[in-house]
Amino acid sequence: MNLIQSLVIALSMYSSIPMPQTEWKEENMKYALCFFPVVGIVTGGVQYIVGSLLYRKAGSLFFAAAMTLIPILISGGIHLDGFMDTMDALGSYGDQQKKLDILKDTHCGAFAVLGLGCYLAAGIGIWSEATEEMLGVIGCSYVISRALSGASVVSFPAARKDGLARTFQVHAGKRAVLLAAMFWIIGASALMICLDPAMASGAAAGAAIMFWHYQRVADRQFGGVTGDLAGYFLQMCEQGMLAGIVITAKVL
């Protein structure tokens, strides 16, 4: 029963999918991050179905805009909120404590708006180059990005003694989360390779570059991970894997 409640917590926390209410007890939260990639399965499935229909029926700009927005609608914008907060913090060029304070600030600054605009423009631009044959591989990337994000939350040191990331660190079963993340990554990667080995290599390169960037930013700029930084990484990882898939498919 705890596993089902952990699944419900993961879906209710990290998506806009309607879920029944469940109590956030320690035993329920222990495995919540193990089910985080399930949101990626839903996102990838919707992207594949809707993308296949739009690619054949709609114009390229409408297709690209819809594909950029669908993951945001499914997630409820929770990860994009973390991305925007992180852009504000990085844009401040302040010391570590000032950056952490900005992450907690509920106001939206200029760098958040600029970052959001650039992110959406880049997403639409990259998606405009995507083809129907890429949709299956791209769909798998949403599982991998969430598995990596969840693994980082329990593996990286926490930047603060409170906050969402720290809450999950305290209550999560670290070994179980890491094993689950490995399972999801291996499964999604294997499916990618079966669909197209070249595009799978592009996705892997994009994920590796973004994870390296994320680790450096978290360590050097913030002294550890926060929930906002985990969201920042997830958005960057999705974009990086998408770019890797499209570039590889175009070049090879």
Side-chain angles (χ1 to χ4, degrees):
M1 182 61 70
N2 287 341
L3 290 179
I4 296 176
Q5 292 175 334
S6 294
L7 172 61
V8 170
I9 289 175
L11 292 175
S12 60
M13 180 69 197
Y14 297 113
S15 78
S16 58
I17 302 170
M19 284 285 123
Q21 289 188 347
T22 186
E23 188 176 356
W24 283 45
K25 298 186 295 185
E26 180 177 349
E27 56 267 30
N28 296 341
M29 295 181 65
K30 187 174 183 179
Y31 302 109
L33 285 175
C34 297
F35 295 102
F36 186 18
V38 174
V39 181
I41 294 177
V42 175
T43 304
V46 173
Q47 288 282 74
Y48 182 83
I49 294 170
V50 176
S52 297
L53 293 173
L54 290 180
Y55 190 81
R56 301 170 192 173
K57 302 293 184 180
S60 59
L61 181 58
F62 185 86
F63 166 80
M67 300 305 281
T68 301
L69 293 175
I70 286 172
I72 299 173
L73 295 175
I74 293 176
S75 70
I78 183 173
H79 311 302
L80 198 58
D81 175 73
F83 171 84
M84 294 175 68
D85 287 342
T86 303
M87 293 302 295
D88 258 344
L90 293 175
S92 73
Y93 293 99
D95 59 23
Q96 189 177 103
Q97 186 57 52
K98 182 176 180 180
K99 290 186 177 76
L100 290 172
D101 290 340
I102 291 173
L103 289 183
K104 295 175 68 175
D105 192 345
T106 57
H107 296 89
C108 183
F111 291 104
V113 176
L114 289 170
L116 174 63
C118 291
Y119 183 88
L120 295 176
I124 292 172
I126 300 170
W127 268 111
S128 68
E129 296 295 325
T131 63
E132 188 176 4
E133 291 73 25
M134 302 177 192
L135 292 176
V137 179
I138 295 171
C140 295
S141 71
Y142 297 103
V143 176
I144 294 175
S145 63
R146 283 160 176 78
L148 289 173
S149 182
S152 75
V153 169
V154 298
S155 299
F156 293 0
R160 291 195 296 254
K161 294 182 179 180
D162 57 0
L164 185 61
R166 181 59 180 168
T167 298
F168 274 103
Q169 279 188 344
V170 170
H171 297 294
K174 180 177 179 179
R175 180 180 175 84
V177 171
L178 292 177
L179 287 175
M182 187 179 300
F183 166 80
W184 290 114
I185 292 170
I186 291 173
S189 299
L191 181 54
M192 278 183 168
I193 294 171
C194 290
L195 292 171
D196 192 296
M199 285 192 281
S201 65
I209 292 170
M210 290 306 169
F211 195 80
W212 172 79
H213 165 73
Y214 167 45
Q215 190 172 29
R216 284 173 60 88
V217 168
D219 180 51
R220 297 187 178 187
Q221 302 289 336
F222 298 91
V225 70
T226 69
D228 285 323
L229 285 170
Y232 167 81
F233 163 70
L234 192 146
Q235 296 290 163
M236 294 294 288
C237 189
E238 287 183 357
Q239 200 90 293
M241 295 181 77
L242 174 62
I245 292 167
V246 172
I247 292 171
T248 303
K250 295 292 184 179
V251 172
L252 303 179

